[in-house]
Every structure is written in structure tokens, then in C-alpha cells.
Amino acid sequence: MAGREIRLDAHRITEEPYYLPLGDEIRIAEVSHRCGIPLLLKGPTGCGKTRFMQYLAWRLDRPLITVSCHDDLSTSDLVGRYLIRAGEAVWMDGPLTLAVRAGAICYLDEVVEARKDTTVVIHPLADDRRELPIEKRGELLGAPPEFMLAVSYNPGYQSVLKDLKPSTRQRFVALNFDYPDPEREAEIVEREGGIAPEMARQLVRLAGMTRSLKDSGLAEGASTRLLIQAGKLVARGIPVRRACHVAVTQALSDDPELLAAIDEMVSSLF
Amino acid sequence: MTTSALRYQPLGINALKERFFSLVAPDLPNEWEVEEAMEELTDADPALVDEILSQVPAIWPVSNSLCYNYLGQALHALSCFPAAELGGWVNETLDRYEKGGLQAAQRFMTNVEQEFVCRLRGIAGLRFDEVRGRLLPYIRGLSGRELDLAPAARACTDGDTIFLPHKISMARDGEQNFLLYKFTASFQWAFLEQGTFFPDSPLLPETGEEAAGQLALALFFDSLAQPELAADLYLQLESIRARAFLGRELPGLVRETVDLLPDPLCRQETGRVARLLIALQCCCLTGEPDGVGLPGVEDSDLRHLLQPEATAAHSLALCRRLYTRLCGQVGEYHSPEPLFFQGTMRLDLVAAARSRRRQELGERFVDALTTALLTLPPSSGGPEEKKRPEGAGAAGTEVPDVALILDGDGKGGEEAEQSAFLRVDNEQVVMDEELEHLGRQVIDEFGFLPPRFVSSAAGRAGRAMAAGDVGASVGEQPLVAPVTYDEWDHRRGGFRKSWCIMTEKEIPVTRSTFITATLARYRGQIIRLRNQFEMMRTTERFLRRQRDGDDIDLDALVESLADSRAGLPPSDRLFVRLARDERDIAALFLVDMSNSTQGWVGTAIKEALVLICEAMEKVGDRYGIYGFSGMRRLRCETFHIKHLEEPYGETVRQRIGSIAPQEYTRMAPAIRHMTARFADVDARIRLLVILSDGKPEDYDDYKGEYAIEDTRHALLEARSAGIHPFCITIDHHAHEYMAHMYGTANSIFIDDVRKLPARMPEIYRVLTS
């Protein structure tokens, strides 16, 4: 048990994470938590979904257990498994079980990446039953009121294999996230990147330009996260063009023409 | 040859002459002429002389005098570039001779450095087509819209396209020349962005629709005695504003470019006005208005143009003041050479582009309105279910009396939202969103709603109503018996039962070299695609010796027990896991064969199909290809190209090659037909990829919202049957309806049809992995 406590403490967020609310999302999330309704966060990559969860965990004073989903994620990766140690079978809780036991917030990042049969385990947890059956142990774990389940996904990915089943998605309160408006985005980049307001505004302008390249073949424009990363490099003395090249241009595409075009935007702006 | 190079003993004039005569035999040139030409070479390194003389047989037959000239210049030329380039230089010389005569060739030979060596180092300037690929996404990103780039003698823009010079060679190297290109494009964009061509100024005359072919600005200039002078002044003032704008928006670009720009002061211009314009150009370059010394204009007025809040109206007012002071002082006015990035102000082009835009908008509006009228519910006197003209010759008799009321340009708050009405035969009908949106666009663009739009829509609606159904055409033999499908009518929220008759036909095969040409053209790409797709090929398999899994790996367990008995540390990898990443995918490709795919579009679609087939053969997914077209509900057609289980062979290839544009785009019945085809296909994922070039549309009133809603419903039916529809479109107006029809993530727009063949397999790969 002691070991588990330590593991949980590592998930507790003690300092207030920076989060700039864009609407009433915090209130909605708090009310959902109180009512025991799970959350579904939609939005493009790097727009602040994960940060929002950290902030929420801090506000609710609950540990946050994040699972990044991938296509090999199996049910036992979430729930737990028997491991054989020195000839003995030892049960190990998975992150989801851990979170349920401790009344933490379990956040499944990019849930569509997980295999469909895996996402089904969260079903009984995500409706009013709020329980997690652990088949291998024959245990039915009830979730305490503090427990919250949150999942996120990016609806922009165009893969037929990666879509949420209606039966899954209809259990959630869904919050839609998008990149903030330029002013607030600049504020975020300025604060998080630690750079001057003017530089932040230019970075946001660059992001705006890349986001309008969608029809020219760029899958997704520069995210707020990319801008912050570029900003951090700049704040620590990397020349701004170089910083944008490595943090924005190269991160966005491999297509030589698009790379050149984005670099041209960078050199025009800075 | 090499041995003589080691010795380096000059050949002497006689030996040279002898060599020369042997080279040009049987001609017998004048001995003294040869001697004179060879003089330069007498002391030269024999190795070089050999190189030089080796070119003589190429030049002599073209022109004897050119050959003598060559002998005189060659040694100097070889001091500028390596001997290996001599052939290229001679070829270029001959080119010049053939194009421009002896003098041009001589000029070329004497200016070795500028004419030839520069290019060898890649710095003889940059051509438009070299920069377009890089600049186009740049300018689109910058502007956030579909601006185009095109070459022209001088930079200018018409609002839809930015024209750039064919070539820029001002700077020392390619990178800098590119920068100048980029600056020029950005500068023209600045004109558009700051509204140079449409100042909102009381000085401008009011323009009615009659003057639609001309800009108010052009009319204003024309009303003055010296329009060119006024236009030039205005361009200079706006350039100052544009430069300030760029300084604010794109500081990096301005900082880098400013040193490369030519200094207009070095030009000698006489006359007060010309000098003044040059002073303004200087101001534009430096962004520093002090000391320009404009008559009757304070420096502070000019300085105001640099502020973000300055508008085109300010420039125009200032232009007007300057013009009044100056117009008396010039006799005949000649425009000074503009700065290359300013280019010229082509108000005629702007006006033409605006008319084009307006016409397109007008057509779309009339279309939408026609559709709205045709699909009016019967109660409001709409023609749809109403007495169809029974007898012949009734066409055009029933033009409805239509008025469109659209007031309040969104300023009036809630009230304004209710102010869009369609009045038909004195009955008010609320307009649908698309029509209202278009109507507002029209008002934004024209300032009012031109009555001709409404009347022409009313007329068209009347005629369409009068025309009867076209009977089924006699064509190719249908493959299977025709099937009927329902059609969704969104107005009544129900189906029109057995409304469309779908026939599946065989494409008449024509022989062509299309397939071989495509295979050859995309050879490299196909090989790459095959590799990529082969990697996606996976099957169900057991992973042994895992730390966890569905079952115990008995072999591993036995081993571990044995190990443990033997006192060795036992392994903990004792499970087997079934990796179920089997690809059980069936895909149908549904190809738009409507009339509008004529030409490039059709070719690109066919090429895309060939590429995808080549790739699909590797991945092993089952796939079928069908085309669709038709006219009216009674003659919807799908064309069989490849059934799901049919092998991809010569016949299929020939059918792809024979795809040809047919008639209209009634998409929904084709989708329903595909859904029916999929019904008995057992696959984990069933994918329907639709390749289209535009909105669903048919000859009759199957248009606009009705068509989109029907198609959307057909897609919903497909989805509920467990099929994933996905659309690839090249329609530029696709944004407006695609998301609604397919859902945001289920469609993709390709802006350049030429990219389609390359993108399509890529899209399929992303879709299914």
C-alpha cells in the first residue's frame, strides 16, 4: 500500500498550472465532476486539452493519472494484470484501476488511438454505474465520488479506423477546444514562452498563416504548443528564425515546398 | 595532347595555321585573315589551343566571321571559366548568333563575365517559374485566401492574382533575388490588404451598376485633366502606406530587403514633377517622410500615412491636394519608371477581376434563387407540385412574380436577422441560409441587390418548370436489371418512393495509350507506393513470450519451471497474445463522371485510379471501382469498372483508360447503389471513397439544398449500414457544403487537380492506418 501512495503522490499537482480560460469550460467541468459525469475533450493537437486537465486536477485537488493511448493498448494495460515474479503471480493495478481506487482523475489522452475493444472497458465506468469490473480477479470496483474519467481526441484526423463509437461517445459531456483567438493566444505564448508581447504576437501571426495552408496540403497548422516551444527557444537565446525553423517549420511538414513556404513566412515576420 | 601540355612550348603561327586549314578543309580561307585571328593563340598553352581549336568545326560552317571572332575571344574567355565549359559557351554563342546575328554573338562573347559566368555560378537572376512553387503557399498563407501568382512584364495585382515579373536579376545571388520576388509579392498583397483599389472617400463619384466595368477610382482619375499624374501620385502615396504596413506586419522581410532595393536617386530625371515623384519613391524605400518637400503638404501629413490608422482615403485626399498644385506645372507628363516592386496600378484588371467575381457570385445567387423558387412548398404557389403545364408550348408562360427583400446589413441586431424574405406572388417565404448568405454577399459586393438577378432566376424557374421529363435514353446495354432507389426530400422530411431508376452499365472500352503513358510517367512513384502499401500488409498473428496476454505460453512456462528447478532465474515472459491487426478492409471507389470532369480533371482522376490500383494490389485490400453519371431521376447510371473481387488486369486497366465525361452529378442514387453493393460484403471495415469535382446537381430541379440534403441522407444511410464514406473533392466552393454533407473529418479538398494522382494513394493510406 505504501508503494501505491508514493505512486499516487507523484500524480498530484501541487502548483497551479497556467491556464487561461476561454469560456465556461472550467465551470462545466467542475459541475460534471460533482455530478459524476465523464468528460470528453475534443480539439486539435496542442490547443491546451492536457493543460486544461492539469488545471482541473489542481483545482479539484485530485491526482491526475494520464494514459497516452496507442493502438497496442490492451485492456490489461488499463485495468491491471498478473505478473509472474519469482515464480509467484502478483497482481498489478493498471492506471485506470489505480485511479478508481484512489478517487483520482483518469485522463485517457487520444482515446481513439486505442483499440476499440479496449475503449469498451470504460463503458461501465462512464455511465451511472460508475464501476470497474476486474475480470481476472473477479472483482467489481465501485468508483468513489471524487473519481473522474476524462478522455480526449482530435476530430481532425481523417482515419476511418480512428473514430469513437456512438456508444462510447454518448456517455460523456463534451467540451470542444480550439486554438484561442489571436489576442489570448499571444497572451498564452507570452506567458508560457517567457517572451516579449510583440514577439508573441508575431508568433501567433505565423501560426495563423500556417493554419490557412490547409488547402495547400498542410494537414494541421502550427499549434499553440509549437508556438510556446518556439518562444522558449527564443527566450533562451536561440535566434528567432532558427527557433521557428526547428520548432515550427520542421515540425509541421516534410514537403519541401511547404517547408520553404513556411520558412519564407518566418523570415518575413521576424 | 597531354605530353605537349607538360612541355608547354608555344606552337608557333605556322603550325597553328596548318591545324586550322586542316580543320576547315576543303574550304580555303584567306591566309592573312587566319593569321590575324590566330595571333592571340601563338603564345598560348598548346593544351588550351587544342581545346579552342576543337570547337572550330562547329562554328566554321555556321559563320566564318563568327569563327574568326571566336578565335580572338576564346583565350580571354578561358581565363574566366574552366575549359570544360567551353562547349557550353560555344553553343550559347551559336544560339545568340542564330537569334540575334553576328553582333549579338559578339556582344555575348565579349561580356563573358556577365553573360555566361554569372549563370554558371547560378546568379544570373531568378525566373518566375523557379519561385512560384515556393511563393504560392507563402502568399496564400499570408493572405489566408486563394490568391494566385502569374508572370507579367511588371508587378501588379487584380485582387485575385498577383502578377510578378518574369525574371528578377537585380541582386547578386539567387537567394537575394528570391527575396526581391518575395518582397514584390508581399508588397502587392499589402495593396490588397490595405484597400488601395477601393478607397472609401467622398472624393470618388458614386457608381451605379452601369459603371460596374470600371472602378470608382478609375473614374475619378479620368475626370482629371492629367489622369496619369494623379494615378502616379496616388500610387506613390499608397506605396508609402504599404511600406509602413509591411514594416509593421512583416518586419523581418522589410529589414532584409531594404538594402537590396535599388536607389531611385541614381536616376537622372529632369523636371520638377518627376523629381518629386522620385522623392516620394525614396520616402517609400526609407520609410522616412522628412524633407520630401511636397508643395502645399506638410511633412506631418505625409507622416500620417505611416500610421496604422491611415486609410486609402487619406492618400486620395493628399493626392488630390498635390495634384491641384502640380497639374498646371507640367506640360506633357511622362511617368517616371516605377520601383519594380510597386509595379503598376492596373485598375482595369482590378475592375475585370471584380466583374468576374461578381458574375460568378451572381450566377451562384441566381442558381440558388432558382432552386429556391423551384422547390417552394406548394402552398406558397411554388411550381413544384403545382399544375404542370399539360399541353405543349406552355414554356415560359408561368414566370412567378418574385421579389427578394433583404434589409439591414446585420447592423439592426435581432430585427435584422428576420429581415430576409422571398416574396413570391405576394406571399412571403423565409429564405434558407445558403440563399440568404449569398444574398448578403451580393449586397456586400454590389452595394444593392441587382433586380436582374431576381428576374432571371424567376424566368429560369418558370422555364424549368415548363420543360417536361426527358425519357430514358437508349444507350449501352445495362449489365443488370435497373434498380429503383428512394430519394430523400428534406422539405417533407420523407422519401420519395422508388424515385430514381439506376442502371449499371459497362463502359465501352476504347483503346488508348493512356495506361502505358501513366505507368511510365509515375514509374518511380508507383514503386515507392508499392513499398509503402506493402508495409501496411499485416495479418493476425500470435506474439509469444509476452509479459502479459490472453493465454499462457506453455513452452515458456515449461522452460521457466525447468529454469527455476535448476536454480536459474525464471523468465516472466510467459504469455501469448493475439495481435489482431489484420486488415479486413473492402473499399469501393466511386468516381464522378459528370460533364464537368472534361479535360484535366478527368485525366487526373484516371491517373489517380491507376496509381491507387497499383498500390492496392500490394496491400491486398479488396476494392472495386465504379463511375457514376446520368440525367434526371429516370436515368441514373453507374458504370462498372472493377468489381470488388475482380482481379486487376488488362481489362480493368482498359476500362479505367476509357472513363470519359458523361452527363450530370446526381450523386445520391449512386451512393445508395454502392451501399446496396456493399450489403453482402463481409469486411471489418467497408470504405466508400467518392472522387468528385463539384456539388451534386442534375438537369432538372435537383440542385442546391435539395440535392445536398438528399446526398447527405444517402451518406447517412451508408453510414448506418456500417460503411465509412469519404470524399475527395477538387471543387473550390466545396467548403460551403462538404462539412455539412460528409462531416468535417470525412472529406478532403485538393486545391490543385494535378496533385490528385499523388495525393490519392496517400489519403487512402492515412485513412486506413
Side-chain angles (χ1 to χ4, degrees):
Chain A
M1 275 317 258
R4 184 175 300 148
E5 284 309 312
I6 294 167
R7 279 179 65 195
L8 260 185
D9 276 343
H11 292 291
R12 211 172 272 280
I13 295 164
T14 46
E15 261 177 57
E16 177 177 359
Y18 173 70
Y19 181 76
L20 185 68
L22 297 176
D24 56 357
E25 67 269 27
I26 292 173
R27 193 176 140 64
I28 289 181
E30 278 180 340
V31 173
S32 307
H33 179 250
R34 224 171 294 146
C35 304
I37 307 173
L39 270 185
L40 167 67
L41 312 183
K42 299 197 248 188
T45 176
C47 71
K49 301 187 291 284
T50 304
R51 179 58 66 87
F52 171 75
M53 283 316 297
Q54 290 173 340
Y55 179 76
L56 188 70
W58 175 82
R59 259 182 91 106
L60 299 172
D61 192 22
R62 301 308 315 157
L64 176 68
I65 297 178
T66 304
V67 183
S68 300
C69 301
H70 51 87
D71 41 10
D72 233 8
L73 188 84
S74 65
T75 314
S76 30
D77 287 327
L78 279 181
V79 176
R81 60 171 58 113
Y82 279 108
L83 293 182
I84 293 178
R85 292 266 161 85
E88 245 183 295
V90 188
W91 174 258
M92 278 290 290
D93 276 349
L96 186 62
T97 315
L98 188 69
V100 174
R101 281 194 212 278
I105 297 178
C106 184
Y107 174 49
L108 305 180
D109 200 1
E110 297 294 353
V111 70
V112 283
E113 298 286 338
R115 291 205 328 234
K116 280 182 182 169
D117 51 329
T118 311
T119 42
V120 174
V121 280
I122 62 174
H123 281 192
L125 204 53
D127 53 30
D128 59 349
R129 286 175 283 170
R130 285 174 65 80
E131 56 198 23
L132 178 67
I134 308 175
E135 274 172 43
K136 284 188 182 161
R137 278 164 70 92
E139 191 180 342
L140 187 65
L141 199 60
E146 308 86 61
F147 169 78
M148 184 182 209
L149 178 69
V151 302
S152 76
Y153 86 108
N154 179 353
Y157 289 151
Q158 297 174 320
S159 173
V160 289
L161 305 182
K162 289 174 187 160
D163 198 7
L164 277 185
K165 287 199 225 186
S167 61
T168 307
R169 69 166 62 223
Q170 286 202 13
R171 288 158 197 269
F172 293 87
V173 162
L175 286 174
N176 192 25
F177 282 71
D178 204 345
Y179 301 122
D181 55 90
E183 268 166 44
R184 275 190 282 194
E185 190 165 21
E187 196 182 326
I188 295 168
V189 175
E190 179 190 337
R191 156 85 214 245
E192 284 289 277
I195 47 171
E198 186 46 37
M199 178 64 74
R201 268 197 293 281
Q202 290 295 83
L203 280 174
V204 170
R205 223 172 257 163
L206 173 66
M209 290 178 186
T210 59
R211 286 170 202 164
S212 59
L213 277 182
K214 204 171 172 208
D215 291 338
S216 308
L218 196 65
E220 248 177 25
S223 64
T224 314
R225 174 171 46 216
L226 276 192
L227 299 185
I228 293 172
Q229 287 170 353
K232 282 184 175 159
L233 294 186
V234 173
R236 279 153 195 77
I238 309 278
V240 58
R241 289 187 179 182
R242 181 73 190 139
C244 287
H245 179 75
V246 293
V248 180
T249 313
Q250 291 294 343
L252 283 179
S253 172
D254 295 320
D255 180 277
E257 258 178 25
L258 283 176
L259 286 180
I262 299 168
D263 267 341
E264 292 310 332
M265 292 169 190
V266 171
S267 65
S268 284
L269 282 167
F270 301 100
Chain B
M1 211 191 264
T2 39
T3 45
S4 59
L6 289 173
R7 277 186 276 122
Y8 193 148
Q9 199 173 29
L11 286 171
I13 191 73
N14 286 329
L16 279 173
K17 274 199 300 196
E18 212 167 289
R19 299 267 305 271
F20 187 81
F21 280 119
S22 71
L23 282 171
V24 301
D27 286 2
L28 277 174
N30 255 332
E31 208 170 322
W32 60 267
E33 268 185 323
V34 177
E35 204 164 306
E36 196 183 316
M38 293 299 233
E39 218 178 318
E40 290 274 330
L41 302 179
T42 43
D43 297 330
D45 178 348
L48 284 182
V49 173
D50 277 335
E51 288 286 344
I52 292 170
L53 287 181
S54 70
Q55 298 291 336
V56 166
I59 310 172
W60 182 258
V62 177
S63 156
N64 299 0
S65 27
L66 185 68
C67 191
Y68 293 135
N69 268 300
Y70 161 77
L71 290 174
Q73 294 291 343
L75 205 57
H76 166 64
L78 280 180
S79 67
C80 300
F81 55 79
E85 302 290 343
L86 187 67
W89 185 66
V90 168
N91 274 342
E92 180 92 32
T93 310
L94 291 173
D95 265 5
R96 297 287 172 110
Y97 176 82
E98 272 151 14
K99 272 185 210 145
L102 186 60
Q103 280 196 343
Q106 277 173 336
R107 235 185 349 251
F108 174 77
M109 285 196 292
T110 27
N111 289 330
V112 188
E113 184 67 33
Q114 279 152 11
E115 296 269 5
F116 189 70
V117 181
C118 289
R119 192 134 20 103
L120 271 188
R121 297 187 205 130
I123 52 178
L126 215 50
R127 282 190 329 269
F128 173 79
D129 37 334
E130 294 174 85
V131 298
R132 186 176 185 272
R134 200 158 143 200
L135 271 185
L136 191 64
Y138 165 77
I139 204 78
R140 287 187 176 173
L142 205 62
S143 61
R145 62 197 183 99
E146 299 274 298
L147 274 180
D148 221 334
L149 294 177
R154 274 191 183 160
C156 61
T157 177
D158 66 0
D160 291 335
T161 307
I162 288 178
F163 295 92
L164 296 173
H166 293 286
K167 181 178 167 185
I168 288 187
S169 55
M170 250 161 280
R172 266 190 307 110
D173 64 32
E175 218 25 63
Q176 291 185 341
N177 279 323
F178 177 79
L179 209 55
L180 292 176
Y181 254 120
K182 185 167 95 165
F183 186 74
T184 311
S186 309
F187 206 86
Q188 297 296 323
W189 163 72
F191 281 142
L192 296 177
E193 201 67 4
Q194 62 177 2
T196 295
F197 305 117
F198 301 99
D200 186 12
S201 164
L203 289 173
L204 295 185
E206 285 283 326
T207 46
E209 212 201 331
E210 318 77 59
Q214 271 196 302
L215 296 189
L217 195 59
L219 292 175
F220 167 75
F221 290 142
D222 286 343
S223 71
L224 303 172
Q226 287 180 315
E228 288 107 29
L229 173 61
D232 278 350
L233 284 169
Y234 181 69
L235 177 65
Q236 294 309 333
L237 293 169
E238 276 297 282
S239 299
I240 292 174
R241 209 159 70 81
R243 158 73 167 76
F245 171 79
L246 285 183
R248 284 191 303 275
E249 291 286 317
L250 308 174
L253 174 68
V254 172
R255 195 179 59 239
E256 272 193 337
T257 324
V258 102
D259 296 331
L260 302 177
L261 299 176
D263 186 0
L265 280 182
C266 65
R267 284 207 305 265
Q268 297 295 315
E269 290 282 354
T270 50
R272 178 155 177 241
V273 176
R275 277 205 304 277
L276 201 117
L277 283 166
I278 296 228
L280 281 173
Q281 288 185 349
C282 285
C283 172
C284 168
L285 285 174
T286 57
E288 190 41 69
D290 289 341
V292 176
L294 297 176
V297 173
E298 300 289 325
D299 278 353
S300 62
D301 281 341
L302 206 52
R303 191 169 280 283
H304 178 69
L305 289 183
L306 305 179
Q307 301 306 314
E309 62 272 10
T311 62
H314 287 115
S315 298
L316 194 65
L318 210 55
C319 160
R320 176 69 201 245
R321 265 158 69 193
L322 272 172
Y323 173 80
T324 0
R325 285 296 190 96
L326 293 174
C327 68
Q329 300 185 10
V330 271
E332 205 163 318
Y333 173 72
H334 296 290
S335 304
E337 181 68 17
L339 297 169
F340 74 97
F341 53 85
Q342 284 180 314
T344 44
M345 193 161 58
R346 293 291 302 272
L347 295 178
D348 53 334
L349 290 184
V350 179
R354 186 180 63 169
S355 319
R356 228 173 20 242
R357 216 164 40 234
R358 285 183 167 182
Q359 198 184 350
E360 197 181 307
L361 182 64
E363 270 165 23
R364 281 169 59 207
F365 177 74
V366 170
D367 267 357
L369 187 56
T370 311
T371 316
L373 290 175
L374 278 172
T375 52
L376 280 180
S379 60
S380 56
E384 177 62 13
E385 302 289 330
K386 201 167 82 170
K387 48 200 175 203
R388 290 193 174 260
E390 307 274 319
T397 49
E398 228 172 308
V399 177
D401 174 20
V402 182
L404 194 79
I405 301 145
L406 257 177
D407 5 274
D409 32 347
K411 288 176 200 153
E414 285 158 39
E415 227 178 305
E417 287 179 14
Q418 292 302 315
S419 59
F421 289 108
L422 192 59
R423 182 177 293 162
V424 184
D425 296 337
N426 276 334
E427 265 186 80
Q428 278 196 352
V429 188
V430 180
M431 288 192 284
D432 70 50
E433 244 173 67
E434 188 196 350
L435 182 59
E436 191 186 329
H437 177 68
L438 275 172
R440 297 223 181 274
Q441 271 187 318
V442 168
I443 292 184
D444 279 350
E445 185 68 49
F446 289 84
F448 60 99
L449 187 73
R452 63 189 159 91
F453 287 172
V454 180
S455 55
S456 85
R460 266 209 244 172
R463 275 197 303 282
M465 199 183 64
D469 272 336
V470 175
S473 80
V474 229
E476 308 85 355
Q477 278 299 306
L479 280 178
V480 283
V483 205
T484 58
Y485 289 105
D486 299 347
E487 185 163 291
W488 178 255
D489 186 345
H490 73 105
R491 292 161 303 185
R492 66 162 106 147
F495 283 106
R496 291 171 143 180
K497 290 288 173 204
S498 304
W499 193 253
C500 298
I501 300 179
M502 168 62 73
T503 14
E504 193 172 317
K505 291 181 175 171
E506 193 76 55
I507 284 194
V509 172
T510 51
R511 299 209 159 269
S512 73
T513 56
F514 174 79
I515 297 293
T516 31
T518 309
L519 289 178
R521 189 161 160 214
Y522 290 97
R523 216 179 124 259
Q525 196 154 8
I526 288 173
I527 294 171
R528 213 169 50 244
L529 277 174
R530 286 180 157 202
N531 285 340
Q532 281 178 353
F533 274 65
E534 197 158 17
M535 299 221 290
M536 292 157 59
R537 189 172 193 146
T538 41
T539 45
E540 191 164 314
R541 65 193 193 279
F542 279 106
L543 302 174
R544 300 198 170 272
R545 294 177 195 277
Q546 299 293 305
R547 276 215 173 78
D548 68 292
D550 316 305
D551 222 330
I552 291 168
D553 185 342
L554 288 172
D555 293 346
L557 186 65
V558 170
E559 241 173 67
S560 114
L561 285 175
D563 282 352
S564 143
R565 288 280 165 84
L568 295 171
S571 162
D572 57 350
R573 298 175 168 271
L574 302 176
F575 294 93
V576 281
R577 195 164 70 214
L578 183 64
R580 256 172 306 181
D581 37 18
E582 177 199 13
R583 286 179 71 85
D584 184 13
I585 298 178
L588 283 182
F589 294 91
L590 184 59
V591 183
D592 187 345
M593 283 169 59
S594 64
N595 206 1
S596 50
T597 57
Q598 191 96 41
W600 244 111
V601 179
T603 317
I605 288 181
K606 277 151 66 176
E607 287 178 354
L609 285 178
V610 174
L611 256 65
I612 193 97
C613 287
E614 294 289 329
M616 293 295 270
E617 286 305 304
K618 277 294 160 194
V619 75
D621 294 351
R622 285 173 289 165
Y623 67 104
I625 304 170
Y626 294 85
F628 73 96
S629 182
M631 185 163 164
R632 292 184 174 265
R633 64 184 179 91
L634 299 177
R635 197 160 58 77
C636 306
E637 294 161 340
T638 47
F639 295 88
H640 153 240
I641 297 159
K642 179 184 176 304
H643 288 308
L644 213 48
E645 311 289 351
E646 197 174 344
Y648 171 66
E650 203 41 46
T651 349
V652 173
R653 286 183 178 185
Q654 274 181 6
R655 285 195 205 115
I656 295 178
S658 317
I659 293 178
Q662 307 277 332
E663 289 154 295
Y664 290 86
T665 323
R666 206 178 187 110
M667 207 187 277
I671 294 171
R672 293 196 173 94
H673 190 60
M674 290 300 109
T675 311
R677 283 230 154 247
F678 255 136
D680 46 2
V681 175
D682 184 32
R684 199 159 62 89
I685 285 159
R686 291 178 292 174
L687 184 63
L688 173 63
V689 180
I690 302 164
L691 264 173
S692 164
D693 75 331
K695 272 195 210 193
E697 196 170 41
D698 203 348
Y699 177 77
D700 48 17
D701 55 344
Y702 190 84
K703 284 184 175 63
E705 200 185 351
Y706 182 88
I708 287 179
E709 290 300 326
D710 179 38
T711 311
R712 176 161 184 259
H713 205 275
L715 289 165
L716 287 176
E717 290 158 36
R719 206 163 291 152
S720 64
I723 296 163
H724 291 280
F726 189 88
C727 179
I728 303 173
T729 186
I730 46 174
D731 178 12
H732 277 262
H733 296 301
H735 301 290
E736 293 155 25
Y737 59 90
M738 286 301 273
H740 177 62
M741 247 162 61
Y742 292 92
T744 31
N746 296 323
S747 58
I748 196 162
F749 161 71
I750 292 179
D751 64 339
D752 184 353
V753 65
R754 278 152 238 247
K755 289 189 198 150
L756 180 70
R759 289 289 303 279
M760 178 143 152
E762 177 64 27
I763 291 168
Y764 183 81
R765 198 164 64 93
V766 174
L767 262 175
T768 58
S769 58

